[in-house]
Amino acid sequence: ASWSPDGSKIVWTTGGRGPLAELWVMIADGSGPTQLTFNQFPDLNAKWSPDGSKIAFRSVRDGNADIYVINADGTGEQRLTTDPAFDFIPDWSPDGTRIAFTRDVEGVCAIYTMNADGTDVQQTTAGSLAAGAPRWSPDGSRIMFAENFCSMF
């Protein structure tokens, strides 16, 4: 689950990690639950954009784990990554211009960043670190991550 930047809403995945795992959003008091995604593949790792207009998440709906974005009202879904690797756990930069994410290439994880539209994908950590679960610093100058991340799965 992830709070909206203004704290008024929550996005979460229902259905566990199975095929019924869909994104939902609700008002912070638990009212008004609304389903955002409708498919037969798990949608996980939802994270609000800093302005609250979009939600980044991971899905396997196109046959591979990739990063997607969707408008907060459930419209405008867009696939951002198309690499054959396993892409997951997105995190928005504080200014909303970039997204950091974990990429697993045959069991070796690294942190990558890309523009919020999916262009300019860049590896930011060496694969030997097994880095995962990126989180931007409040000023956007650094990214923290978990080391030996892929070995946890």
Side-chain angles (χ1 to χ4, degrees):
S2 175
W3 290 95
S4 63
D6 66 3
S8 67
K9 295 182 180 178
I10 299 169
V11 64
W12 83 96
T13 299
T14 188
R17 293 177 173 255
L20 301 178
E22 300 291 350
L23 296 185
W24 287 70
V25 67
M26 68 179 168
I27 298 170
D29 67 5
S31 66
T34 304
Q35 188 171 349
L36 297 183
T37 59
F38 300 83
N39 62 80
Q40 298 178 349
F41 301 96
D43 297 331
L44 304 165
N45 309 135
K47 184 73 179 200
W48 291 89
S49 64
D51 67 3
S53 67
K54 295 185 180 290
I55 298 166
F57 63 99
R58 183 263 288 183
S59 183
V60 295
R61 67 188 63 199
D62 289 310
N64 185 51
D66 284 305
I67 305 298
Y68 291 75
V69 294
I70 192 168
N71 292 330
D73 65 2
T75 64
E77 186 176 287
Q78 179 185 6
R79 182 179 176 188
L80 298 184
T81 62
T82 58
D83 192 272
F86 188 92
D87 297 333
F88 60 115
I89 310 181
D91 191 54
W92 295 85
S93 63
D95 65 6
T97 62
R98 295 195 58 82
I99 298 172
F101 61 96
T102 305
R103 177 168 280 172
D104 180 344
V105 180
E106 298 179 5
V108 178
C109 288
I111 303 301
Y112 285 73
T113 62
M114 64 182 160
N115 289 334
D117 66 1
T119 61
D120 192 29
V121 176
Q122 297 178 12
Q123 184 173 348
T124 58
T125 63
S128 62
L129 290 174
R135 293 294 178 253
W136 290 90
S137 64
D139 67 1
S141 67
R142 298 196 218 182
I143 299 171
M144 71 174 182
F145 58 87
E147 193 172 355
N148 296 321
F149 184 78
C150 284
S151 64
M152 297 186 324
F153 295 101

